[in-house]
Amino acid sequence: MKRKHQHIKKQSLFKKWTGKLHLWFGLGIGLIIVIVSVTGALYVFKDEFENFTRKDVIYHHEQNIAQKQILPIRVLEKSVDAQVQEKYKIHWVNIPMDKSMSYQFYWYEHNTAAWNYFDEFPVYKLAYVNPYTGQVLRVYDEKNGFFNIVKMIHWSFLLKESWGKYVVGIPVAIFVLMLISGIILWWPKNRAARKQRFSFKWKNVKSWKRKNYDLHSILGFYTSIFALISAVTGLFYAFFVIQAAIYVIFSGGNTVYPNFDHITTKAPVEARNDTTLDKVINTVEEKYPDSFMFSVDLGHPHMDDHEHPNFSVFVKHLAYSYHKNASLIFDENSGELLHNYDHKDKNFGEKAVAANYDIHVGSILGLPTKIIAFIVSLLCASLPVTGFMIWWGRRKKGKKTRQISLK
């Protein structure tokens, strides 16, 4: 009998301190979680919004394209440069497999010496171009665009990317602990209590405090699993240990990520000419005619230049998701294909790493999972609010009780 009493007391003490930590963490990072969650919800439907507002330039509307030839990539680049007159060189071009769609030319520079987002990226522009005429249909300043600013608030609070991600990442890591502690606090003591924890019983409840408590605890429970997935996939970008753990777990214990740095350009630089990239482009199109789009770096020096062991092309198989992709390595002087690494060639750990972004933003299965991600993000934003209201209500009640006792 004595042992049983001690066991109950110990469990009660554990929940007491779990509750205190849950409260302190919540008061400390609540506002940050609200901002991160709301910006995450706003970003979910970025592609759908832009596909609608840019539909007149996403497709170039050139007539009789079956009888026309796409201009060589270097000719297109010179035409775009002349029309836009941007002081920075074009960084890369996205080439769609659907030839009724426009090519996308990107200017993108990264100043690693800056301390905030606006100085860190001197330019981030996108031009939609008719590949048959070289006409620039429209230029977008992506750097100052609504969705990119939302993304960078979500990512780093508009601070320098390399350390701003920790300003967001550390509170999100604490939020993971809060989700776990919330489940512990929610867990019912017995069968009778369990009936009240899974659904709202508001028929005879008039107190807003009780309703607010139910919103926090019940919605928190149903949100917790999806919120944990969202939080962990977000921490993937802040902490290398999370990336490594995901790969090791899903690869079945592999600790070495596949590396193709040994596959490098062998042909002399004299072999390179204005048609080398056209040869690369033709090879990709022949190998992946059913894919959605691929990206080709135009090979110019940039502000954050670092050693590139090989020249690779990224192929995106699906319109709505990045997780199915291929990487092709080319000799950048001769344009010869040196290696082809497709989605089907990857182990499960690599596929999990590749799917992380799509899981995080909800695009992994298209619109249904985006809707789930949007709802989960809004519910995550509500938890610190309802939690604060619980604390504030109890605080006011405690003050009132003390005042009555003093009288």
Side-chain angles (χ1 to χ4, degrees):
M1 191 73 181
K2 188 176 181 181
R3 285 183 183 176
K4 186 176 179 181
H5 177 72
Q6 288 177 341
H7 176 71
I8 293 171
K9 188 175 180 180
K10 185 178 180 181
Q11 285 291 97
S12 177
L13 187 64
F14 172 72
K15 278 207 169 185
K16 177 183 176 182
W17 280 103
T18 300
K20 286 182 179 292
L21 290 173
H22 189 81
L23 170 63
W24 295 335
F25 284 154
L27 293 175
I29 66 165
L31 181 59
I32 294 175
I33 297 304
V34 170
I35 295 170
V36 171
S37 299
V38 170
T39 52
L42 288 172
Y43 193 77
V44 165
F45 295 112
K46 168 188 176 290
D47 291 343
E48 285 75 12
F49 181 84
E50 291 184 347
N51 287 342
F52 176 75
T53 57
R54 301 181 182 184
K55 61 183 177 181
D56 56 328
V57 293
I58 289 175
Y59 292 88
H60 50 71
H61 307 292
E62 184 74 17
Q63 301 298 310
N64 303 315
I65 61 175
Q67 285 80 44
K68 297 179 180 180
Q69 292 289 324
I70 288 175
L71 296 174
I73 197 67
R74 292 302 183 189
V75 174
L76 282 171
E77 179 188 5
K78 289 177 183 176
S79 175
V80 173
D81 269 334
Q83 293 173 77
V84 178
Q85 297 186 351
E86 171 60 53
K87 69 177 182 177
Y88 297 102
K89 289 287 187 181
I90 299 170
H91 200 141
W92 77 87
V93 56
N94 285 353
I95 300 176
M97 291 301 183
D98 180 354
K99 296 311 170 188
S100 66
M101 297 179 69
S102 304
Y103 279 25
Q104 299 172 12
F105 285 79
Y106 282 87
W107 292 261
Y108 183 87
E109 295 294 339
H110 186 195
N111 177 15
T112 56
W115 68 271
N116 66 80
Y117 164 70
F118 295 102
D119 292 336
E120 187 175 8
F121 299 97
V123 65
Y124 181 17
K125 287 183 178 179
L126 162 61
Y128 288 89
V129 179
N130 183 332
Y132 294 93
T133 65
Q135 179 190 1
V136 174
L137 304 175
R138 195 173 300 158
V139 178
Y140 288 93
D141 180 5
E142 301 286 58
K143 170 185 170 179
N144 296 305
F146 172 78
F147 283 106
N148 212 57
I149 290 177
V150 164
K151 175 186 175 182
M152 298 314 293
I153 293 172
H154 182 82
W155 184 289
S156 62
F157 280 138
L158 298 178
L159 300 171
K160 184 177 180 178
E161 193 175 41
S162 60
W163 55 268
K165 62 184 180 181
Y166 298 118
V167 176
V168 174
I170 292 171
V172 172
I174 294 172
F175 182 59
V176 170
L177 297 177
M178 288 186 64
L179 289 169
I180 296 169
S181 63
I183 293 171
I184 292 170
L185 294 170
W186 171 90
W187 203 263
K189 296 177 181 178
N190 50 54
R191 187 177 295 179
R194 196 177 300 130
K195 292 179 180 179
Q196 298 177 351
R197 300 291 175 91
F198 286 103
S199 60
F200 299 103
K201 307 292 184 183
W202 286 352
K203 188 175 181 180
N204 298 315
V205 176
K206 295 181 180 179
S207 169
W208 71 266
K209 291 182 180 180
R210 179 64 200 184
K211 290 179 178 179
N212 180 70
Y213 178 83
D214 286 347
L215 284 171
H216 186 75
S217 60
I218 296 172
L219 290 182
F221 169 72
Y222 285 116
T223 304
S224 58
I225 299 302
F226 295 105
L228 281 169
I229 293 170
S230 180
V232 171
T233 53
L235 292 174
F236 175 95
Y237 298 103
F239 303 104
F240 175 75
V241 65
I242 302 296
Q243 300 176 27
I246 287 174
Y247 176 71
V248 171
I249 291 168
F250 287 98
S251 66
N254 290 344
T255 57
V256 180
Y257 200 81
N259 190 326
F260 303 106
D261 289 358
H262 62 284
I263 304 173
T264 58
T265 290
K266 300 296 182 185
V269 70
E270 291 77 18
R272 189 189 308 177
N273 57 50
D274 283 349
T275 65
T276 300
L277 280 185
D278 294 304
K279 184 177 180 179
V280 169
I281 291 167
N282 291 336
T283 301
V284 177
E285 290 179 335
E286 287 172 7
K287 287 195 167 293
Y288 293 101
D290 297 324
S291 64
F292 175 67
M293 182 179 285
F294 61 97
S295 302
V296 177
D297 193 302
L298 295 180
H300 300 298
H302 298 284
M303 293 181 70
D304 65 339
D305 262 355
H306 52 277
E307 187 178 348
H308 297 277
N310 48 50
F311 184 81
S312 61
V313 173
F314 177 84
V315 180
K316 184 183 177 187
H317 290 336
L318 304 171
Y320 61 85
S321 176
Y322 288 91
H323 75 281
K324 287 189 177 181
N325 61 72
S327 295
L328 292 85
I329 299 174
F330 290 87
D331 186 307
E332 64 180 319
N333 292 332
S334 69
E336 294 293 330
L337 177 63
L338 303 176
H339 186 72
N340 187 6
Y341 199 55
D342 193 42
H343 178 76
K344 65 179 183 296
D345 302 321
K346 299 174 182 178
N347 64 45
F348 197 58
E350 292 172 90
K351 290 178 180 178
V353 169
N356 187 85
Y357 174 81
D358 297 311
I359 294 170
H360 185 65
V361 300
S363 63
I364 189 71
L365 296 176
L367 189 59
T369 44
K370 282 196 168 191
I371 293 171
I372 292 171
F374 177 75
I375 293 171
V376 168
S377 295
L378 291 182
L379 289 175
C380 285
S382 76
L383 293 177
V385 176
T386 53
F388 176 83
M389 289 172 70
I390 292 171
W391 170 76
W392 187 257
R394 289 175 177 173
R395 184 172 173 270
K396 288 181 69 177
K397 182 180 178 181
K399 280 186 177 180
K400 189 179 288 186
T401 303
R402 285 194 296 271
Q403 288 173 356
I404 291 171
S405 62
L406 286 171
K407 288 179 182 178

